[in-house]
């Protein structure tokens, strides 16, 4: 299911952006509720993406690896700021 943002670009709702991995959802059910899996893109700009390095997320109580996050590059984040500024101009009118 797609939604449309105010600039007319199709986007997926955050909670539908990926299917959770069964092993992660069984061990950490709250991740599934958040729409997360064992591998996640870290930048949202109408769609989930990331072109930067990967980082690992660990449980603070057991130090077990929970998930991998693909971070964004400077260009990924600049694109988010550009889209935010464009949307802001629409909202202000």
């Amino acid at each position: 299911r797609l939604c449309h943002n105010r600039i007319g670009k199709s986007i997926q709702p955050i909670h539908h952006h990926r299917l959770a991995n069964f092993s992660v959802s069984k061990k950490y059910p709250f991740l599934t509720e958040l729409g997360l899996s064992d591998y996640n893109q870290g930048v949202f700009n109408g769609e989930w993406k990331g072109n930067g390095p990967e980082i690992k997320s660990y449980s603070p109580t057991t130090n077990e690896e929970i998930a991998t996050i693909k971070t964004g590059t400077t260009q990924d984040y600049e694109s988010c700021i550009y889209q935010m500024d464009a949307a802001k101009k629409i909202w202000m009118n």
Side-chain angles (χ1 to χ4, degrees):
R1 187 177 113 201
L2 292 177
C3 298
H4 294 280
N5 64 13
R6 293 196 66 151
I7 343 179
K9 184 176 179 183
S10 295
I11 60 172
Q12 293 181 339
I14 292 173
H15 59 280
H16 291 295
H17 73 277
R18 64 181 87 67
L19 297 175
N21 177 291
F22 178 73
S23 63
V24 170
S25 64
K26 187 174 180 180
K27 190 163 188 165
Y28 303 105
F30 68 91
L31 293 175
T32 303
E33 294 171 16
L34 296 171
L36 300 173
S37 67
D38 59 347
Y39 188 86
N40 303 283
Q41 300 291 330
V43 179
F44 187 78
N45 185 17
E47 64 183 354
W48 287 100
K49 64 180 180 178
N51 295 299
E54 294 178 351
I55 59 172
K56 306 287 184 184
S57 175
Y58 296 91
S59 166
T61 56
T62 65
N63 206 31
E64 290 179 293
E65 183 180 318
I66 297 173
T68 301
I69 300 93
K70 181 77 170 170
T71 64
T73 61
T74 301
Q75 292 83 10
D76 291 333
Y77 292 111
E78 286 176 356
S79 175
C80 288
I81 298 299
Y82 176 81
Q83 292 294 331
M84 179 202 62
D85 284 338
K88 181 179 170 184
K89 289 174 187 171
I90 293 170
W91 295 332
M92 293 179 73
N93 291 327

